[in-house]
Amino acid sequence: MSKAIVLHAHGGVDNLHWEEHAPGRPGAGEALIRHEAVGVNFIDIYHRTGLYPLPALPAVLGMEGAGIVLAVGEGVTEVQPGQRVAYAGRPIGAYAEERCMPAHRLVPLPDAIPTRMAAAMMLRGMTARYLLHGCYPVGQGSTLLVHAAAGGVGSMLVPWACHLGATVIGTAGSPEKREKALAAGCHHVIDYRTGGVAARIRELTDGRGVDVVYDSVGQATFMDSLDCLRPMGTMVSFGQSSGAVPPFDPGVLAARGSLFLTRPSLMHYTERREDLLAHAADLFDVVARGVVSVHIDQSWPLAQVAEAHTALESRRTTGTMVLDV
């Protein structure tokens, strides 16, 4: 019998249980996968705590994984048994040894991308792709502020942005993380804990401000991030690790320079299969060419996912992390 991490009630990590869980046979349009590794992301914590609603409980969490196709259901043409595949996004259920997935959400892996690496990079890497190409057209001469520049998305977004010709300013909260951000390619790194981020941004940009802010922190940085932007700059709020951003008057955007604000989701940017494959192809390309390096900084056995959640919530992690199956 296959096993999975099952959540029976919202709350702390004690509610994550390692137990038998039959994946069933693949139905029409589905593929049965045996995972080799599973990604861990902050959105998993939001699902566990109930901040982001789940369709029903009990539930198997997790939105990213990679492995081998064991069988396919009727009408499947996207993948075939024995093929290495990866995915990121809905439906949730990655914290399992085996699972059925809609075949149209699976991406075949090229030979240059190891399966375990794919499990660590799909959600973060395709997020970096839509942030750089979808939310704002980053290119030669762009100036960016990236919060949590040493984090999972930041460690991929920063070198990718530099490759596109951008000047990248990052924030990080510890000496180790600041060193990682610089190693990833940041031209400048600010310690956000000391305050004065907006003033420092003005110094670094000759008073102009940055073209775009990528903010995955949320409540603790949101208003300061707006103050870092040039007139008609773009604020991309794509996470809330410090808590949800409270409601605010949209007139704030006008007062700070006719700013643009977006709260994007990877699921919308990759809803069509052709867009999903395009995001994955661009990601595989920059990784295979060494533009973006994927280092698995932390790993745990799948059965010990509670330890991974605890480390992530306490900000003791950097870069990418996986659960080995």
Side-chain angles (χ1 to χ4, degrees), residues 27-252:
E30 292 185 331
L32 175 63
I33 312 162
R34 178 192 296 127
H35 285 129
E36 181 176 315
V38 172
V40 183
N41 300 280
F42 229 101
I43 193 171
D44 302 345
I45 293 172
Y46 300 155
H47 284 145
R48 190 199 78 219
T49 60
L51 179 63
Y52 287 3
L54 294 168
L57 292 174
V60 177
L61 304 185
M63 299 187 69
E64 178 180 40
I68 302 292
V69 176
L70 297 180
V72 298
E74 182 182 354
V76 171
T77 59
E78 297 89 348
V79 297
Q80 58 188 1
Q83 194 169 26
R84 294 187 312 123
V85 296
Y87 63 89
R90 295 188 180 94
I92 67 168
Y95 289 2
E97 293 177 327
E98 297 179 3
R99 73 170 300 190
C100 288
M101 272 285 292
H104 72 276
R105 301 305 302 170
L106 298 173
V107 177
L109 291 175
D111 292 340
I113 305 297
T115 310
R116 190 169 182 260
M117 177 189 290
M121 76 182 201
M122 293 299 292
L123 194 146
R124 295 170 176 87
M126 291 198 296
T127 295
R129 197 273 192 187
Y130 82 72
L131 292 175
L132 295 170
H133 294 287
C135 295
Y136 185 89
V138 172
Q140 192 70 39
S142 300
T143 303
L144 287 54
L145 172 61
V146 180
H147 286 296
V153 173
S155 62
M156 303 183 79
L157 187 153
V158 168
W160 201 336
C162 291
H163 176 70
L164 295 173
T167 297
V168 182
I169 304 169
T171 68
S174 70
E176 178 189 11
K177 290 184 177 182
R178 291 195 293 276
E179 286 299 320
K180 280 185 170 287
L182 287 169
C186 282
H187 297 83
H188 309 279
V189 179
I190 301 170
D191 183 350
Y192 68 85
R193 298 176 305 175
T194 62
V197 173
R200 181 64 177 138
I201 289 294
R202 297 294 168 183
E203 292 176 8
L204 293 172
T205 60
D206 296 325
R208 177 176 180 267
V210 299
D211 298 306
V212 56
V213 176
Y214 294 113
D215 191 333
S216 62
V217 178
Q219 183 179 37
T221 55
F222 186 83
M223 298 308 294
D224 283 344
S225 291
L226 295 180
D227 290 333
C228 293
L229 286 165
R230 62 162 171 81
M232 293 171 286
T234 299
M235 170 68 170
V236 184
S237 176
F238 70 102
Q240 50 192 47
S241 60
S242 69
V245 177
F248 70 98
D249 181 354
V252 167

